[in-house]
Amino acid sequence: MQSGQSIRASYPTPVEVHDLGTVDYTDTWHLQADLANQRADDAIGDRLLLLEHPSTYTAGKRTQPEDRPTNGLPVVDVDRGGRITWHGPGQLVGYPIIKLADPIDVIDYVRRIEDALIKVCRDLGLPADRVDGRSGVWLPAGWFDGTPKPERKIAAIGLRITRGVAMHGFALNCDNTLEYYDHIVPCGIADAGTTTLSEELGRDVTVKEMENPVVDALFAALDGSINVEKH
């Protein structure tokens, strides 16, 4: 797929946005699967689910035993790619149920989601970018107020493509706690940190504040009208 073209099979038909509030992870996973099957059969159009989850660890298909939590909390083993992560209040989760145009290019789809979230962070004044070999959106290592900080992930991405339809999606850390990341190896990456928009900006950045900017940037990226440059 080339920049400037939509990756959606049904473009320019609009994507329906559903704000679900705070919903159980497993229930939402089953909802996604049902919607993805309907989308594959063309019974519905593209959807975007926006939500928060109660505190939940989820393990993708590449999760290793050493990644798993040390605090005894349960883990939902799920059919997305990637390794283990945490979801919880204060984190904006988005599940685009999108039928992809042929030929399906999964890497391009991931990059477009990254583009959207990078743009959102940069619009807030943060130097967000990709890190080679690592999915998601990152802030660079450096010294801040006299304190060294490692590379820090601010948004995670994990996907599944089935029958040409994408499900699962992204999680943008807004004003959530970082406590639960201390008990896992987030996304299987031991030499980097995690952060939130609130932590980096020094003010409370809520999920509600970020919903519209994320939706606008995501639709633009999927339809080919933004393509961020690497800093």
Side-chain angles (χ1 to χ4, degrees), residues 21-25 28 51-57 86-89 91:
T22 301
V23 286
D24 177 77
Y25 183 87
T28 312
L51 53 113
E52 295 176 72
H53 286 307
S55 184
T56 309
Y57 287 120
W86 172 85
H87 295 305
Q91 185 185 70

Side-chain angles (χ1 to χ4, degrees), residues 59-65 67 78 80-84 133 135 187-188:
K61 293 183 291 185
R62 296 194 302 109
T63 300
Q64 302 299 307
D67 299 340
V78 68
R80 63 166 171 78
R83 292 168 77 168
I84 197 164
S135 70
C187 303

Side-chain angles (χ1 to χ4, degrees), residues 44-59:
I44 61 171
D46 291 335
R47 303 283 178 91
L48 172 61
L49 310 181
L50 295 178
L51 53 113
E52 295 176 72
H53 286 307
S55 184
T56 309
Y57 287 120
T58 73

